[in-house]
Amino acid sequence: MAQWTSAVGPAQLARQLQAQQPRPAGPGTRKPPAYRALADGIRLLVLEGRVPVAARLPAERELALALTVSRTTVAAAYEALRTEGFLESRRGAGSWTAVPAGNPLPARGLEPLPPEALGSMIDLGCAALPAPEPWLTRGVQGALEELPPYAHTHGDYPAGLPALRQMLADRYTARGIPTMPEQIMVTTGAMGAIDAICHLFAGRGERIAVESPSYANILQLMRSAGARLVPVAMAEGLGSWDLGRWRQVLRDAAPRLAYVVADFHNPTGALADEDQRRRLVEAARSAGTVLVVDETMAELHLDEDLEMPRPVCAFDPAGATVLTVGSASKAFWAGMRIGWVRAAPDVIRSLVAARAYADLGTPVLEQLGVNWLMRTGGWEEAVSLRREQARGNRDALVAAVRRELPEWEFAVPRGGLTLWVRTGGLSGSRLAEAGERVGVRVPSGPRFGVDGAFEGFVRLPFTVGGPVADEAAARLAAAARLVESGAGSGGAEPPRSFVA
């Protein structure tokens, strides 16, 4: 029986390999043989999780044609990968990717490190902060006090607790967008909301337009749902959207959905202005495209003098074109898995009906906790604390990276949790690999693109500050030196233990 569970086509693999930047040659070093460069490229894709483990690779002849190299080169690369434990083969079944014994299984998303690894590894992979105490504890205590009446019911609320739906509707109304509870569905995090939207609106093979770059976990969710992603390049710097490109994609590709982050975009930190928001809604309405707007970062404005633009849904208050997704995970705590969708009542009814075949509903206790926080003012206090912490971390990380890696380029966002960094011509994938060896975990740019784009970038979150930010930047600089020297997989110093 074949041991592979998915397949990678020759054209797809060739695009991913050709998007990689070559390893810089150190002083006195010679260019590696073609087969070695090919083997290294495939190994990096596996370690990055961009080619899954147990994925069937193209036949030698197919990949040779796609890369315009000799079949001998591909055969030698495959043999090197088999020797290193990154490839397994069986006559008649082909060859499929693997990881050597003792290597961690690469993740397709940006999962946080397990707690036991935090003493020796600085985690810059997950853009999430610790809970803003004492507000988490107070919210849970408030929820427990209000739980008894709900405990006497079946506990299934597919649209969400009525009290929380009313609270969220009132909060939108207070922002200038009149909203009824019937326009709200509570979900299990923002991922749950977007998953439900994709399954309702974009069946397998449907086109979804996405910003390029975009949030890695959402891109993978859409790929797993069978969507065909249509990337739309962002403007340079923090200029947010290129409306000319968006109009062209919406007109020519006619995507069923479009996914955007208008408020402190992940990963770039860009903030769309009101005119861009209005024009994108108009373009989506004209094209018949449903615009999914991710507001999970909207409350994380870090500069006190920043005047926030109106929400995107202000330009489609009925919710027929704009589906707004919010969440407690970024503004409050990632462990509070409460999200929501704001849309037209008929859309909400359809989402709720479809939910019966998925997760049925969101945990009652967590909904009560969020509702308690929003009702008592604890939410505003907690988010204010979160902003203060993120602001300090941002400033510390920016200063440390500028000091340790002055050739790296970035624009400092005015909110959100992420810094999008151009790495001075170094491969982001190789930096991520080297970082694991010197004690810093960082996601490379291609995780946030489609088909291997953004090899020259990494994303740095505002999750560490003070001495930890200094140490993280120092370890990134050590990783950069490893990449610049062309060092192999061994030879790096083991990471020092570091406790924040």
mmCIF file of all heavy atoms in Angstrom, residues 276-306:
data_model
loop_
_atom_site.group_PDB
_atom_site.id
_atom_site.type_symbol
_atom_site.label_atom_id
_atom_site.label_comp_id
_atom_site.label_asym_id
_atom_site.label_seq_id
_atom_site.Cartn_x
_atom_site.Cartn_y
_atom_site.Cartn_z
ATOM 1 N N GLN A 276 -10.090 54.131 0.888
ATOM 2 C CA GLN A 276 -9.802 52.785 0.388
ATOM 3 C C GLN A 276 -10.917 51.816 0.766
ATOM 4 O O GLN A 276 -11.322 50.973 -0.044
ATOM 5 C CB GLN A 276 -8.473 52.293 0.953
ATOM 6 C CG GLN A 276 -7.247 52.986 0.376
ATOM 7 C CD GLN A 276 -5.969 52.458 1.002
ATOM 8 O OE1 GLN A 276 -5.895 52.236 2.210
ATOM 9 N NE2 GLN A 276 -4.957 52.242 0.190
ATOM 10 N N ARG A 277 -11.422 51.940 1.976
ATOM 11 C CA ARG A 277 -12.483 51.048 2.433
ATOM 12 C C ARG A 277 -13.746 51.235 1.588
ATOM 13 O O ARG A 277 -14.373 50.261 1.153
ATOM 14 C CB ARG A 277 -12.777 51.303 3.919
ATOM 15 C CG ARG A 277 -11.610 50.965 4.821
ATOM 16 C CD ARG A 277 -11.793 51.484 6.252
ATOM 17 N NE ARG A 277 -10.557 51.307 6.999
ATOM 18 C CZ ARG A 277 -10.440 50.667 8.169
ATOM 19 N NH1 ARG A 277 -11.507 50.162 8.751
ATOM 20 N NH2 ARG A 277 -9.277 50.546 8.747
ATOM 21 N N ARG A 278 -14.118 52.481 1.378
ATOM 22 C CA ARG A 278 -15.320 52.770 0.596
ATOM 23 C C ARG A 278 -15.180 52.233 -0.828
ATOM 24 O O ARG A 278 -16.092 51.573 -1.362
ATOM 25 C CB ARG A 278 -15.567 54.277 0.562
ATOM 26 C CG ARG A 278 -16.800 54.678 -0.267
ATOM 27 C CD ARG A 278 -16.908 56.170 -0.407
ATOM 28 N NE ARG A 278 -17.114 56.845 0.876
ATOM 29 C CZ ARG A 278 -16.194 57.542 1.513
ATOM 30 N NH1 ARG A 278 -14.962 57.650 1.002
ATOM 31 N NH2 ARG A 278 -16.460 58.118 2.674
ATOM 32 N N ARG A 279 -14.042 52.477 -1.435
ATOM 33 C CA ARG A 279 -13.843 52.072 -2.828
ATOM 34 C C ARG A 279 -13.778 50.549 -2.976
ATOM 35 O O ARG A 279 -14.264 49.990 -3.960
ATOM 36 C CB ARG A 279 -12.585 52.726 -3.378
ATOM 37 C CG ARG A 279 -12.715 54.242 -3.564
ATOM 38 C CD ARG A 279 -11.376 54.938 -3.685
ATOM 39 N NE ARG A 279 -10.597 54.478 -4.819
ATOM 40 C CZ ARG A 279 -9.289 54.681 -4.966
ATOM 41 N NH1 ARG A 279 -8.618 55.302 -4.010
ATOM 42 N NH2 ARG A 279 -8.666 54.267 -6.040
ATOM 43 N N LEU A 280 -13.187 49.857 -2.000
ATOM 44 C CA LEU A 280 -13.135 48.402 -2.100
ATOM 45 C C LEU A 280 -14.525 47.799 -1.940
ATOM 46 O O LEU A 280 -14.892 46.852 -2.655
ATOM 47 C CB LEU A 280 -12.188 47.821 -1.048
ATOM 48 C CG LEU A 280 -11.978 46.306 -1.131
ATOM 49 C CD1 LEU A 280 -11.449 45.896 -2.502
ATOM 50 C CD2 LEU A 280 -11.042 45.826 -0.029
ATOM 51 N N VAL A 281 -15.329 48.335 -1.048
ATOM 52 C CA VAL A 281 -16.705 47.840 -0.893
ATOM 53 C C VAL A 281 -17.489 48.063 -2.182
ATOM 54 O O VAL A 281 -18.219 47.173 -2.647
ATOM 55 C CB VAL A 281 -17.401 48.526 0.296
ATOM 56 C CG1 VAL A 281 -18.888 48.176 0.321
ATOM 57 C CG2 VAL A 281 -16.746 48.108 1.609
ATOM 58 N N GLU A 282 -17.339 49.228 -2.786
ATOM 59 C CA GLU A 282 -18.030 49.511 -4.046
ATOM 60 C C GLU A 282 -17.597 48.546 -5.142
ATOM 61 O O GLU A 282 -18.425 48.036 -5.907
ATOM 62 C CB GLU A 282 -17.769 50.952 -4.468
ATOM 63 C CG GLU A 282 -18.418 51.999 -3.560
ATOM 64 C CD GLU A 282 -17.960 53.408 -3.883
ATOM 65 O OE1 GLU A 282 -17.023 53.563 -4.710
ATOM 66 O OE2 GLU A 282 -18.523 54.363 -3.306
ATOM 67 N N ALA A 283 -16.282 48.267 -5.217
ATOM 68 C CA ALA A 283 -15.787 47.354 -6.246
ATOM 69 C C ALA A 283 -16.296 45.935 -6.010
ATOM 70 O O ALA A 283 -16.675 45.231 -6.958
ATOM 71 C CB ALA A 283 -14.259 47.370 -6.263
ATOM 72 N N ALA A 284 -16.330 45.500 -4.758
ATOM 73 C CA ALA A 284 -16.831 44.160 -4.456
ATOM 74 C C ALA A 284 -18.316 44.046 -4.776
ATOM 75 O O ALA A 284 -18.766 43.040 -5.346
ATOM 76 C CB ALA A 284 -16.573 43.827 -2.981
ATOM 77 N N ARG A 285 -19.076 45.072 -4.421
ATOM 78 C CA ARG A 285 -20.522 45.052 -4.710
ATOM 79 C C ARG A 285 -20.760 44.975 -6.214
ATOM 80 O O ARG A 285 -21.608 44.203 -6.688
ATOM 81 C CB ARG A 285 -21.176 46.288 -4.117
ATOM 82 C CG ARG A 285 -22.703 46.291 -4.264
ATOM 83 C CD ARG A 285 -23.299 47.564 -3.695
ATOM 84 N NE ARG A 285 -23.131 47.660 -2.252
ATOM 85 C CZ ARG A 285 -22.446 48.608 -1.630
ATOM 86 N NH1 ARG A 285 -21.829 49.554 -2.337
ATOM 87 N NH2 ARG A 285 -22.370 48.633 -0.317
ATOM 88 N N SER A 286 -20.001 45.738 -6.992
ATOM 89 C CA SER A 286 -20.170 45.733 -8.448
ATOM 90 C C SER A 286 -19.825 44.385 -9.057
ATOM 91 O O SER A 286 -20.431 43.960 -10.039
ATOM 92 C CB SER A 286 -19.302 46.823 -9.082
ATOM 93 O OG SER A 286 -19.699 48.100 -8.646
ATOM 94 N N ALA A 287 -18.829 43.708 -8.468
ATOM 95 C CA ALA A 287 -18.386 42.424 -9.013
ATOM 96 C C ALA A 287 -19.211 41.256 -8.495
ATOM 97 O O ALA A 287 -19.033 40.119 -8.964
ATOM 98 C CB ALA A 287 -16.918 42.203 -8.666
ATOM 99 N N GLY A 288 -20.087 41.486 -7.516
ATOM 100 C CA GLY A 288 -20.843 40.388 -6.920
ATOM 101 C C GLY A 288 -20.004 39.521 -6.008
ATOM 102 O O GLY A 288 -20.326 38.343 -5.779
ATOM 103 N N THR A 289 -18.930 40.094 -5.460
ATOM 104 C CA THR A 289 -18.032 39.368 -4.564
ATOM 105 C C THR A 289 -18.389 39.678 -3.111
ATOM 106 O O THR A 289 -18.617 40.835 -2.756
ATOM 107 C CB THR A 289 -16.563 39.769 -4.827
ATOM 108 O OG1 THR A 289 -16.199 39.391 -6.151
ATOM 109 C CG2 THR A 289 -15.627 39.099 -3.833
ATOM 110 N N VAL A 290 -18.424 38.649 -2.287
ATOM 111 C CA VAL A 290 -18.654 38.834 -0.850
ATOM 112 C C VAL A 290 -17.323 39.174 -0.195
ATOM 113 O O VAL A 290 -16.336 38.442 -0.351
ATOM 114 C CB VAL A 290 -19.259 37.575 -0.212
ATOM 115 C CG1 VAL A 290 -19.373 37.737 1.301
ATOM 116 C CG2 VAL A 290 -20.624 37.280 -0.828
ATOM 117 N N LEU A 291 -17.282 40.281 0.530
ATOM 118 C CA LEU A 291 -16.050 40.778 1.132
ATOM 119 C C LEU A 291 -16.016 40.364 2.608
ATOM 120 O O LEU A 291 -16.852 40.805 3.408
ATOM 121 C CB LEU A 291 -16.001 42.300 1.001
ATOM 122 C CG LEU A 291 -14.701 43.022 1.332
ATOM 123 C CD1 LEU A 291 -13.567 42.558 0.432
ATOM 124 C CD2 LEU A 291 -14.898 44.536 1.201
ATOM 125 N N VAL A 292 -15.074 39.511 2.961
ATOM 126 C CA VAL A 292 -14.892 39.068 4.343
ATOM 127 C C VAL A 292 -13.813 39.938 4.980
ATOM 128 O O VAL A 292 -12.663 39.922 4.551
ATOM 129 C CB VAL A 292 -14.494 37.582 4.407
ATOM 130 C CG1 VAL A 292 -14.361 37.125 5.857
ATOM 131 C CG2 VAL A 292 -15.500 36.722 3.662
ATOM 132 N N VAL A 293 -14.211 40.693 5.993
ATOM 133 C CA VAL A 293 -13.301 41.653 6.621
ATOM 134 C C VAL A 293 -12.939 41.155 8.010
ATOM 135 O O VAL A 293 -13.803 40.988 8.876
ATOM 136 C CB VAL A 293 -13.945 43.051 6.699
ATOM 137 C CG1 VAL A 293 -13.011 44.038 7.382
ATOM 138 C CG2 VAL A 293 -14.311 43.536 5.300
ATOM 139 N N ASP A 294 -11.664 40.925 8.243
ATOM 140 C CA ASP A 294 -11.144 40.428 9.509
ATOM 141 C C ASP A 294 -10.790 41.623 10.398
ATOM 142 O O ASP A 294 -9.872 42.381 10.101
ATOM 143 C CB ASP A 294 -9.905 39.573 9.228
ATOM 144 C CG ASP A 294 -9.372 38.872 10.459
ATOM 145 O OD1 ASP A 294 -9.562 39.388 11.574
ATOM 146 O OD2 ASP A 294 -8.729 37.818 10.312
ATOM 147 N N GLU A 295 -11.534 41.780 11.499
ATOM 148 C CA GLU A 295 -11.319 42.896 12.420
ATOM 149 C C GLU A 295 -10.631 42.471 13.714
ATOM 150 O O GLU A 295 -10.686 43.198 14.708
ATOM 151 C CB GLU A 295 -12.661 43.539 12.800
ATOM 152 C CG GLU A 295 -13.242 44.470 11.772
ATOM 153 C CD GLU A 295 -14.376 45.320 12.342
ATOM 154 O OE1 GLU A 295 -14.986 44.926 13.362
ATOM 155 O OE2 GLU A 295 -14.647 46.373 11.757
ATOM 156 N N THR A 296 -9.944 41.346 13.710
ATOM 157 C CA THR A 296 -9.401 40.830 14.968
ATOM 158 C C THR A 296 -8.341 41.743 15.572
ATOM 159 O O THR A 296 -8.086 41.677 16.778
ATOM 160 C CB THR A 296 -8.817 39.426 14.779
ATOM 161 O OG1 THR A 296 -7.878 39.447 13.697
ATOM 162 C CG2 THR A 296 -9.913 38.429 14.444
ATOM 163 N N MET A 297 -7.699 42.584 14.769
ATOM 164 C CA MET A 297 -6.671 43.497 15.277
ATOM 165 C C MET A 297 -7.204 44.916 15.488
ATOM 166 O O MET A 297 -6.448 45.803 15.891
ATOM 167 C CB MET A 297 -5.497 43.558 14.291
ATOM 168 C CG MET A 297 -4.761 42.257 14.099
ATOM 169 S SD MET A 297 -3.611 41.917 15.434
ATOM 170 C CE MET A 297 -2.711 40.528 14.735
ATOM 171 N N ALA A 298 -8.489 45.155 15.230
ATOM 172 C CA ALA A 298 -9.000 46.524 15.142
ATOM 173 C C ALA A 298 -8.837 47.324 16.429
ATOM 174 O O ALA A 298 -8.672 48.546 16.386
ATOM 175 C CB ALA A 298 -10.474 46.499 14.721
ATOM 176 N N GLU A 299 -8.887 46.668 17.585
ATOM 177 C CA GLU A 299 -8.794 47.400 18.846
ATOM 178 C C GLU A 299 -7.357 47.619 19.306
ATOM 179 O O GLU A 299 -7.123 48.280 20.324
ATOM 180 C CB GLU A 299 -9.586 46.669 19.928
ATOM 181 C CG GLU A 299 -11.081 46.626 19.669
ATOM 182 C CD GLU A 299 -11.859 46.123 20.869
ATOM 183 O OE1 GLU A 299 -11.939 46.850 21.872
ATOM 184 O OE2 GLU A 299 -12.392 45.006 20.781
ATOM 185 N N LEU A 300 -6.388 47.087 18.552
ATOM 186 C CA LEU A 300 -4.995 47.184 18.964
ATOM 187 C C LEU A 300 -4.288 48.357 18.300
ATOM 188 O O LEU A 300 -3.229 48.217 17.689
ATOM 189 C CB LEU A 300 -4.274 45.858 18.669
ATOM 190 C CG LEU A 300 -4.770 44.677 19.504
ATOM 191 C CD1 LEU A 300 -4.076 43.401 19.087
ATOM 192 C CD2 LEU A 300 -4.573 44.937 20.990
ATOM 193 N N HIS A 301 -4.879 49.553 18.392
ATOM 194 C CA HIS A 301 -4.197 50.761 17.920
ATOM 195 C C HIS A 301 -3.249 51.202 19.023
ATOM 196 O O HIS A 301 -3.649 51.448 20.167
ATOM 197 C CB HIS A 301 -5.200 51.847 17.543
ATOM 198 C CG HIS A 301 -6.350 51.987 18.488
ATOM 199 N ND1 HIS A 301 -6.343 52.837 19.579
ATOM 200 C CD2 HIS A 301 -7.553 51.357 18.521
ATOM 201 C CE1 HIS A 301 -7.487 52.744 20.229
ATOM 202 N NE2 HIS A 301 -8.245 51.847 19.609
ATOM 203 N N LEU A 302 -1.947 51.315 18.694
ATOM 204 C CA LEU A 302 -0.921 51.492 19.711
ATOM 205 C C LEU A 302 -0.479 52.933 19.886
ATOM 206 O O LEU A 302 0.047 53.287 20.950
ATOM 207 C CB LEU A 302 0.293 50.614 19.370
ATOM 208 C CG LEU A 302 0.005 49.115 19.176
ATOM 209 C CD1 LEU A 302 1.292 48.353 18.943
ATOM 210 C CD2 LEU A 302 -0.762 48.535 20.355
ATOM 211 N N ASP A 303 -0.634 53.756 18.878
ATOM 212 C CA ASP A 303 -0.245 55.165 18.988
ATOM 213 C C ASP A 303 -1.438 55.968 19.469
ATOM 214 O O ASP A 303 -2.513 55.952 18.849
ATOM 215 C CB ASP A 303 0.250 55.694 17.641
ATOM 216 C CG ASP A 303 1.566 55.045 17.224
ATOM 217 O OD1 ASP A 303 2.248 54.473 18.109
ATOM 218 O OD2 ASP A 303 1.910 55.101 16.036
ATOM 219 N N GLU A 304 -1.264 56.708 20.560
ATOM 220 C CA GLU A 304 -2.389 57.383 21.193
ATOM 221 C C GLU A 304 -2.981 58.489 20.331
ATOM 222 O O GLU A 304 -4.151 58.846 20.490
ATOM 223 C CB GLU A 304 -1.946 57.941 22.553
ATOM 224 C CG GLU A 304 -1.578 56.835 23.550
ATOM 225 C CD GLU A 304 -1.152 57.383 24.887
ATOM 226 O OE1 GLU A 304 -1.096 58.630 25.030
ATOM 227 O OE2 GLU A 304 -0.865 56.590 25.802
ATOM 228 N N ASP A 305 -2.197 59.055 19.414
ATOM 229 C CA ASP A 305 -2.711 60.147 18.578
ATOM 230 C C ASP A 305 -3.373 59.643 17.298
ATOM 231 O O ASP A 305 -3.770 60.436 16.448
ATOM 232 C CB ASP A 305 -1.581 61.112 18.217
ATOM 233 C CG ASP A 305 -0.481 60.433 17.400
ATOM 234 O OD1 ASP A 305 -0.369 59.188 17.444
ATOM 235 O OD2 ASP A 305 0.274 61.154 16.720
ATOM 236 N N LEU A 306 -3.518 58.327 17.153
ATOM 237 C CA LEU A 306 -4.079 57.766 15.923
ATOM 238 C C LEU A 306 -5.595 57.846 15.952
ATOM 239 O O LEU A 306 -6.238 57.353 16.886
ATOM 240 C CB LEU A 306 -3.635 56.309 15.765
ATOM 241 C CG LEU A 306 -4.210 55.554 14.557
ATOM 242 C CD1 LEU A 306 -3.792 56.204 13.253
ATOM 243 C CD2 LEU A 306 -3.771 54.091 14.599
#
